[in-house]
Amino acid sequence: MSVISEAFAVWRECREAFDEVLHSAYTRAEVATNGALLNERGRRRGVDAVSLFMGPAVRAYAYASPELVEHWEGHPRVTYAEFERQWVAGQEEERWAS
């Protein structure tokens, strides 16, 4: 396997793990807020509620409902970049442990 192929395989594995975390976070928030994820401004602009769980916090909080903001206080949103750092650290820890 080439270095680039191996890198892409690792990236796909990390991305799949993040997608599971993202789905779980979205579902938990949807239940906790009774589906009230977007504020009025977000609804008017047709923002996809899932997008609030990715990307810059400034954008997420600009369109999040008060219920979602409150939910995030107890269950902080994690961006892909943050997740990737944690995931890589965990992988390296596993490698050193074996």
Side-chain angles (χ1 to χ4, degrees):
M1 180 180 282
S2 73
V3 171
I4 195 76
S5 295
E6 187 174 334
F8 278 123
V10 170
W11 178 84
R12 278 191 300 277
E13 185 180 345
C14 181
R15 187 62 207 204
E16 287 171 4
F18 176 72
D19 288 346
E20 290 175 18
V21 167
L22 177 66
H23 178 74
S24 176
Y26 179 84
T27 301
R28 186 173 50 243
E30 191 174 38
V31 169
T33 64
N34 293 316
L37 299 172
L38 295 167
N39 61 23
E40 179 60 30
R41 183 176 166 210
R43 287 190 299 275
R44 274 195 324 267
R45 291 190 176 201
V47 171
D48 180 0
V50 173
S51 72
L52 301 180
F53 292 79
M54 303 177 281
V58 169
R59 181 181 179 282
Y61 283 91
Y63 297 122
S65 68
E67 295 89 347
L68 182 55
V69 171
E70 183 179 327
H71 173 75
W72 281 338
E73 289 173 8
H75 304 88
R77 62 186 290 280
V78 178
T79 64
Y80 178 73
E82 294 165 337
F83 177 84
E84 182 182 41
R85 279 191 294 276
Q86 294 170 6
W87 187 85
V88 167
Q91 294 296 308
E92 289 175 357
E93 193 174 294
E94 283 181 26
R95 215 173 311 147
W96 285 105
S98 27

